[in-house]
PDB file of all heavy atoms in Angstrom:
ATOM      1  N   ARG D 205       5.880 -18.451  -3.069  1.00 92.00           N
ATOM      2  CA  ARG D 205       7.276 -18.107  -3.391  1.00 92.00           C
ATOM      3  C   ARG D 205       7.322 -17.126  -4.567  1.00 92.00           C
ATOM      4  O   ARG D 205       8.254 -16.238  -4.720  1.00 92.00           O
ATOM      5  CB  ARG D 205       8.166 -19.227  -3.648  1.00 92.00           C
ATOM      6  CG  ARG D 205       9.679 -18.930  -3.574  1.00 92.00           C
ATOM      7  CD  ARG D 205      10.451 -20.231  -3.810  1.00 92.00           C
ATOM      8  NE  ARG D 205      10.363 -21.090  -2.617  1.00 92.00           N
ATOM      9  CZ  ARG D 205       9.790 -22.444  -2.727  1.00 92.00           C
ATOM     10  NH1 ARG D 205       9.414 -22.859  -3.956  1.00 92.00           N
ATOM     11  NH2 ARG D 205       9.808 -23.162  -1.765  1.00 92.00           N
ATOM     12  N   HIS D 206       6.413 -17.253  -5.490  1.00 94.00           N
ATOM     13  CA  HIS D 206       6.394 -16.438  -6.736  1.00 94.00           C
ATOM     14  C   HIS D 206       5.337 -15.472  -6.775  1.00 94.00           C
ATOM     15  O   HIS D 206       5.116 -14.785  -7.861  1.00 94.00           O
ATOM     16  CB  HIS D 206       6.261 -17.490  -7.938  1.00 94.00           C
ATOM     17  CG  HIS D 206       7.423 -18.337  -8.182  1.00 94.00           C
ATOM     18  ND1 HIS D 206       7.520 -19.597  -7.626  1.00 94.00           N
ATOM     19  CD2 HIS D 206       8.545 -18.182  -8.895  1.00 94.00           C
ATOM     20  CE1 HIS D 206       8.567 -20.170  -7.980  1.00 94.00           C
ATOM     21  NE2 HIS D 206       9.308 -19.330  -8.802  1.00 94.00           N
ATOM     22  N   MET D 207       4.714 -15.104  -5.642  1.00 96.00           N
ATOM     23  CA  MET D 207       3.728 -14.029  -5.627  1.00 96.00           C
ATOM     24  C   MET D 207       4.374 -12.731  -5.797  1.00 96.00           C
ATOM     25  O   MET D 207       5.474 -12.490  -5.211  1.00 96.00           O
ATOM     26  CB  MET D 207       2.930 -14.140  -4.302  1.00 96.00           C
ATOM     27  CG  MET D 207       1.927 -15.216  -4.205  1.00 96.00           C
ATOM     28  SD  MET D 207       0.439 -14.808  -5.168  1.00 96.00           S
ATOM     29  CE  MET D 207      -0.683 -16.036  -4.534  1.00 96.00           C
ATOM     30  N   TYR D 208       3.824 -11.718  -6.353  1.00 97.00           N
ATOM     31  CA  TYR D 208       4.252 -10.311  -6.411  1.00 97.00           C
ATOM     32  C   TYR D 208       4.550  -9.923  -4.989  1.00 97.00           C
ATOM     33  O   TYR D 208       5.471  -9.190  -4.654  1.00 97.00           O
ATOM     34  CB  TYR D 208       3.318  -9.425  -7.052  1.00 97.00           C
ATOM     35  CG  TYR D 208       3.064  -9.644  -8.544  1.00 97.00           C
ATOM     36  CD1 TYR D 208       1.801  -9.587  -9.133  1.00 97.00           C
ATOM     37  CD2 TYR D 208       4.114  -9.875  -9.444  1.00 97.00           C
ATOM     38  CE1 TYR D 208       1.547  -9.744 -10.433  1.00 97.00           C
ATOM     39  CE2 TYR D 208       3.933 -10.097 -10.822  1.00 97.00           C
ATOM     40  CZ  TYR D 208       2.548 -10.042 -11.242  1.00 97.00           C
ATOM     41  OH  TYR D 208       2.374 -10.236 -12.627  1.00 97.00           O
ATOM     42  N   MET D 209       3.594 -10.285  -4.074  1.00 97.00           N
ATOM     43  CA  MET D 209       3.632  -9.826  -2.676  1.00 97.00           C
ATOM     44  C   MET D 209       4.448 -10.620  -1.887  1.00 97.00           C
ATOM     45  O   MET D 209       4.411 -10.578  -0.549  1.00 97.00           O
ATOM     46  CB  MET D 209       2.100  -9.826  -2.150  1.00 97.00           C
ATOM     47  CG  MET D 209       1.251  -8.674  -2.633  1.00 97.00           C
ATOM     48  SD  MET D 209       1.878  -6.952  -2.076  1.00 97.00           S
ATOM     49  CE  MET D 209       1.519  -7.126  -0.310  1.00 97.00           C
ATOM     50  N   GLY D 210       5.291 -11.469  -2.367  1.00 95.00           N
ATOM     51  CA  GLY D 210       6.096 -12.336  -1.592  1.00 95.00           C
ATOM     52  C   GLY D 210       7.135 -11.651  -0.826  1.00 95.00           C
ATOM     53  O   GLY D 210       7.857 -12.108   0.061  1.00 95.00           O
ATOM     54  N   VAL D 211       7.372 -10.324  -1.055  1.00 96.00           N
ATOM     55  CA  VAL D 211       8.357  -9.551  -0.351  1.00 96.00           C
ATOM     56  C   VAL D 211       7.873  -8.939   1.001  1.00 96.00           C
ATOM     57  O   VAL D 211       8.586  -8.310   1.739  1.00 96.00           O
ATOM     58  CB  VAL D 211       8.817  -8.339  -1.120  1.00 96.00           C
ATOM     59  CG1 VAL D 211       9.556  -8.808  -2.498  1.00 96.00           C
ATOM     60  CG2 VAL D 211       7.603  -7.453  -1.546  1.00 96.00           C
ATOM     61  N   ALA D 212       6.562  -9.342   1.335  1.00 97.00           N
ATOM     62  CA  ALA D 212       6.065  -8.807   2.519  1.00 97.00           C
ATOM     63  C   ALA D 212       5.127  -9.848   3.269  1.00 97.00           C
ATOM     64  O   ALA D 212       4.572 -10.689   2.523  1.00 97.00           O
ATOM     65  CB  ALA D 212       5.174  -7.514   2.339  1.00 97.00           C
ATOM     66  N   PRO D 213       4.974  -9.826   4.561  1.00 95.00           N
ATOM     67  CA  PRO D 213       4.057 -10.634   5.251  1.00 95.00           C
ATOM     68  C   PRO D 213       2.617 -10.293   4.892  1.00 95.00           C
ATOM     69  O   PRO D 213       2.314  -9.226   4.358  1.00 95.00           O
ATOM     70  CB  PRO D 213       4.353 -10.369   6.780  1.00 95.00           C
ATOM     71  CG  PRO D 213       4.889  -9.055   6.843  1.00 95.00           C
ATOM     72  CD  PRO D 213       5.637  -8.811   5.481  1.00 95.00           C
ATOM     73  N   ASP D 214       1.632 -11.174   5.239  1.00 96.00           N
ATOM     74  CA  ASP D 214       0.213 -10.816   4.924  1.00 96.00           C
ATOM     75  C   ASP D 214      -0.223  -9.671   5.842  1.00 96.00           C
ATOM     76  O   ASP D 214       0.161  -9.488   6.915  1.00 96.00           O
ATOM     77  CB  ASP D 214      -0.613 -12.107   5.237  1.00 96.00           C
ATOM     78  CG  ASP D 214      -0.426 -13.173   4.317  1.00 96.00           C
ATOM     79  OD1 ASP D 214       0.257 -13.017   3.271  1.00 96.00           O
ATOM     80  OD2 ASP D 214      -0.931 -14.377   4.583  1.00 96.00           O
ATOM     81  N   PRO D 215      -1.169  -8.896   5.259  1.00 97.00           N
ATOM     82  CA  PRO D 215      -1.580  -7.729   6.044  1.00 97.00           C
ATOM     83  C   PRO D 215      -2.389  -8.148   7.334  1.00 97.00           C
ATOM     84  O   PRO D 215      -3.032  -9.199   7.367  1.00 97.00           O
ATOM     85  CB  PRO D 215      -2.667  -7.081   5.013  1.00 97.00           C
ATOM     86  CG  PRO D 215      -2.382  -7.644   3.702  1.00 97.00           C
ATOM     87  CD  PRO D 215      -1.766  -8.964   4.008  1.00 97.00           C
ATOM     88  N   ASP D 216      -2.227  -7.225   8.308  1.00 97.00           N
ATOM     89  CA  ASP D 216      -3.106  -7.456   9.528  1.00 97.00           C
ATOM     90  C   ASP D 216      -4.324  -6.638   9.442  1.00 97.00           C
ATOM     91  O   ASP D 216      -5.325  -7.086  10.059  1.00 97.00           O
ATOM     92  CB  ASP D 216      -2.228  -6.903  10.722  1.00 97.00           C
ATOM     93  CG  ASP D 216      -0.963  -7.670  10.967  1.00 97.00           C
ATOM     94  OD1 ASP D 216      -0.927  -8.922  11.137  1.00 97.00           O
ATOM     95  OD2 ASP D 216       0.134  -7.027  10.890  1.00 97.00           O
ATOM     96  N   ILE D 217      -4.305  -5.553   8.743  1.00 97.00           N
ATOM     97  CA  ILE D 217      -5.494  -4.740   8.626  1.00 97.00           C
ATOM     98  C   ILE D 217      -5.605  -4.362   7.072  1.00 97.00           C
ATOM     99  O   ILE D 217      -4.556  -4.101   6.471  1.00 97.00           O
ATOM    100  CB  ILE D 217      -5.405  -3.394   9.361  1.00 97.00           C
ATOM    101  CG1 ILE D 217      -5.208  -3.658  10.824  1.00 97.00           C
ATOM    102  CG2 ILE D 217      -6.609  -2.473   9.298  1.00 97.00           C
ATOM    103  CD1 ILE D 217      -5.008  -2.451  11.726  1.00 97.00           C
ATOM    104  N   LEU D 218      -6.783  -4.350   6.561  1.00 97.00           N
ATOM    105  CA  LEU D 218      -7.158  -3.868   5.212  1.00 97.00           C
ATOM    106  C   LEU D 218      -8.128  -2.687   5.393  1.00 97.00           C
ATOM    107  O   LEU D 218      -9.255  -2.958   5.838  1.00 97.00           O
ATOM    108  CB  LEU D 218      -7.637  -4.973   4.354  1.00 97.00           C
ATOM    109  CG  LEU D 218      -8.121  -4.545   2.992  1.00 97.00           C
ATOM    110  CD1 LEU D 218      -7.064  -3.862   2.131  1.00 97.00           C
ATOM    111  CD2 LEU D 218      -8.669  -5.727   2.105  1.00 97.00           C
ATOM    112  N   VAL D 219      -7.812  -1.516   4.900  1.00 97.00           N
ATOM    113  CA  VAL D 219      -8.608  -0.348   4.964  1.00 97.00           C
ATOM    114  C   VAL D 219      -9.130  -0.042   3.636  1.00 97.00           C
ATOM    115  O   VAL D 219      -8.274   0.155   2.754  1.00 97.00           O
ATOM    116  CB  VAL D 219      -7.854   0.876   5.615  1.00 97.00           C
ATOM    117  CG1 VAL D 219      -8.848   2.024   5.606  1.00 97.00           C
ATOM    118  CG2 VAL D 219      -7.329   0.487   7.069  1.00 97.00           C
ATOM    119  N   ARG D 220     -10.483   0.106   3.472  1.00 97.00           N
ATOM    120  CA  ARG D 220     -10.966   0.531   2.205  1.00 97.00           C
ATOM    121  C   ARG D 220     -11.898   1.817   2.515  1.00 97.00           C
ATOM    122  O   ARG D 220     -12.795   1.702   3.274  1.00 97.00           O
ATOM    123  CB  ARG D 220     -11.850  -0.474   1.463  1.00 97.00           C
ATOM    124  CG  ARG D 220     -12.458   0.167   0.133  1.00 97.00           C
ATOM    125  CD  ARG D 220     -13.001  -0.798  -0.869  1.00 97.00           C
ATOM    126  NE  ARG D 220     -13.344  -0.090  -2.016  1.00 97.00           N
ATOM    127  CZ  ARG D 220     -13.604  -0.704  -3.186  1.00 97.00           C
ATOM    128  NH1 ARG D 220     -13.422  -2.008  -3.353  1.00 97.00           N
ATOM    129  NH2 ARG D 220     -13.922  -0.002  -4.249  1.00 97.00           N
ATOM    130  N   THR D 221     -11.491   2.931   2.009  1.00 96.00           N
ATOM    131  CA  THR D 221     -12.255   4.158   2.235  1.00 96.00           C
ATOM    132  C   THR D 221     -13.555   4.164   1.415  1.00 96.00           C
ATOM    133  O   THR D 221     -13.854   3.309   0.683  1.00 96.00           O
ATOM    134  CB  THR D 221     -11.316   5.376   1.841  1.00 96.00           C
ATOM    135  OG1 THR D 221     -10.756   5.200   0.596  1.00 96.00           O
ATOM    136  CG2 THR D 221     -10.178   5.449   2.879  1.00 96.00           C
ATOM    137  N   SER D 222     -14.318   5.286   1.703  1.00 94.00           N
ATOM    138  CA  SER D 222     -15.575   5.484   0.995  1.00 94.00           C
ATOM    139  C   SER D 222     -16.702   4.564   1.541  1.00 94.00           C
ATOM    140  O   SER D 222     -17.804   4.465   0.956  1.00 94.00           O
ATOM    141  CB  SER D 222     -15.562   5.277  -0.470  1.00 94.00           C
ATOM    142  OG  SER D 222     -14.536   6.160  -1.033  1.00 94.00           O
ATOM    143  N   GLY D 223     -16.478   3.820   2.627  1.00 93.00           N
ATOM    144  CA  GLY D 223     -17.459   2.929   3.156  1.00 93.00           C
ATOM    145  C   GLY D 223     -17.702   1.684   2.381  1.00 93.00           C
ATOM    146  O   GLY D 223     -18.662   0.908   2.708  1.00 93.00           O
TER     147      GLY D 223
END
Side-chain angles (χ1 to χ4, degrees):
R205 190 180 297 119
H206 292 91
M207 286 281 192
Y208 295 138
M209 286 293 296
V211 295
D214 291 348
D216 300 299
I217 303 173
L218 174 59
V219 179
R220 176 164 187 164
T221 49
S222 304

